[in-house]
Amino acid sequence: MTPPSGDAGSSNTLDNLLTESRTFPPSAEFAAEANAKPALYEQAAADREAFWAEQAEQLHWHTPFTKVLDWTDAPFAKWFLGGRINVAYNCVDRHVASGHGEQVAIHWEGEPGDTRTITYANLKDEVSKAANALASLGLVAGDRVAIYMPMVPEAIFAMLACARLGLPHSVVFAGFSAEALRSRIEDASARLVITTDGQYRRGKPAALKPAVDEAVASNPSVEHVLVVRRTESEVDWTDGRDLWWHDLVEAQSTEHTAEAFDAEHPLYILYTSGTTGKPKGILHTSGGYLTQAAYTHRNVFDLKPETDVYWCTADIGWVTGHSYIVYGPLANRATQVVYEGTPNTPHEGRHWEIVQKYGVSIYYTAPTLIRTFMKWGADIPAKYDLSSLRVLGSVGEPINPEAWMWYREHVGANRTPIVDTWWQTETGAIMISPLPGVTSTKPGSAMGPLPGIGAKVVDEAGNEVGKGGGGYLVLDQPWPSMLRGIWGDEARFRETYWSRFESQGFYFAGDGAKYDTDGAIWLLGRVDDVMNVSGHRISTTEVESALVSHPTVAEAAVVGAADPTTGQGIVAFVILRGDAVDGGDAAVQALRNHVAKEIGPIAKPRQIMVVPELPKTRSGKIMRRLLRDVAENRQVGDVTTLADSTVMNLISAGLQKGS
Ligand code: WTA
């Protein structure tokens, strides 16, 4: 084992992803206290269904299930048959019933600095009032509710109130446009939309309700719009349709009896983009989903409800917010931080200030943010007391070894385990991840499937590749929190996930992956992001990692651009670190050589463009499609899903100036 490098930019830190030699075994102290034990793997291997039954039994069932799994109608799974459960009861009431009503559920931190402390007893009152309010509008189990809200506590109350009444919610990220909201409301025929007047973003209030007004105008299914007051901005009002939360909900009783629903009752629909234009409404149900969300949250983050303060920095508009802010943590009686705003408002140390203020012990974020922190500089986290941290998590995209090492060193003080968690909106919960206290980790690898989960890397024909081999990631066993379909589109569900390896019955995740020589899994990005250069398969991630390992590079995005001789050529877009402003020819040549040295001459980018920003979606994913347009000298395509639609102008302007 090579000792961890003290310098995130040093060149000995990355040979390439497959020969990463650093490993970080768990400390004996952590292992002794860890929730997860090595025996979990053996237990699950010995009897998968018994293993999952045991996990499910940690929840409260109004009626116990009689059968664990029915897979006879594959790919439509049924889990925990005969069982009846209320998801909200499990996330709220049972903690009050067991004497923990005074425990803080949510330390809420508003962007302007206002705060709220919500105990489990408070949460029960708020969710009960909201449930009574929704019932008073005539909504009955099965009706759909759209939620278009920033990160205010009422968003969580609303989701839980829906769950309590058996109303499947469709949360639409509040950064999406009116048109995106409109099409989602229409697809699910929502009867109610819950929103706010506005939201705080980067220190300023921004209106939100006008987008709802626009979206609802052409959606006859919507009977009411329920509006939480957040920014006090002026709003247009449609009498009879629009209702203030503080009028309707605050007047309700705090008594509400949670009714039990079938384990397979729909819990929510969450839209995610696919390869075609129309978003897919991913459907999740109750018992299996909650079982796996809670199980993974307990074991992957080692949650100790008595002592931990947990913080997941996602937005409830994404699946990470559903499973790891709302359902998993609350089912496990976590005390958690919920933060409304952006990480650099009012300053770039905001996250570390919050960690220090609340004594956050578990912090779960995305690689794109970690790389942003790298760009801002290690001196920023160094100003705060981060000694309460004991587990760090990553999700959303492959994490570059450099970013992983930076996270470990500058946030985790070379002490905390890092869990790189692979999963998808479709999987509902974490599937591949190390277990802290059990797994020796490698920087950049998600390591292996969790106990109870079946995942493999296979070739085109569906045969598992050997150690050192690469191919497609598949899931070869049904899992409790698996999607139960695409809302209203069975054919697309079968086609997207189950047709590629139909004869084997594998779920095709759409990700490329490799086993290293020890058999650890390395995710390589979406298969459409794998380039083919002169017949060699090279991952965009591999080249990006190499670039980011150079001391002058803050962030990099790589695309394969059509090339008449090699099939594809590698084109890289890089943001240089603040103090390395020279983006001239010599610097670019040094970077090309660096990639050649790190991976091999085959991976040397054909072209490197120095840019001020990268085009990202609101969930932080780089939109390579747009960069490919630039790399191939095409008119830049649809930019409406970008977090900042002016980024492409900045990039084009910069390139014209430079050429
Ligand atoms: C990618 C987010 C590598 C992957 C929970 C997947 C990852 C897609 C990781 C799902 C990870 C997520 N390592 N890649 N740890 N986590 N991905 O639906 O390509 O927003 O298919 O779910 O993100 O994105 P989604």
Side-chain angles (χ1 to χ4, degrees), residues 319-320 395-398 420-426 511 523 526 621:
V319 74
T320 307
V395 61
E397 56 175 315
D420 174 13
T421 62
W422 179 90
W423 59 295
Q424 308 177 299
T425 304
E426 292 87 341
D511 279 36
L523 277 313
R526 303 293 303 183
K621 286 198 175 53

Side-chain angles (χ1 to χ4, degrees), residues 209 213 225 227 235-244 247:
K209 184 164 181 290
D213 293 335
V225 176
V227 188
V235 289
D236 288 341
W237 206 253
T238 303
D239 284 327
R241 185 196 72 185
D242 297 350
L243 303 159
W244 282 113
D247 289 337

Side-chain angles (χ1 to χ4, degrees), residues 99-153:
H100 298 94
E102 295 314 306
Q103 183 183 325
V104 174
I106 297 170
H107 290 292
W108 181 78
E109 179 91 8
E111 195 186 75
D114 50 337
T115 61
R116 282 168 74 178
T117 305
I118 299 155
T119 64
Y120 274 96
N122 300 147
L123 188 62
K124 178 170 177 282
D125 289 350
E126 297 298 336
V127 172
S128 299
K129 282 191 290 185
N132 283 323
L134 300 193
S136 78
L137 297 177
L139 294 163
V140 295
D143 287 343
R144 274 82 58 199
V145 175
I147 298 177
Y148 183 65
M149 296 173 87
M151 292 290 287
V152 291

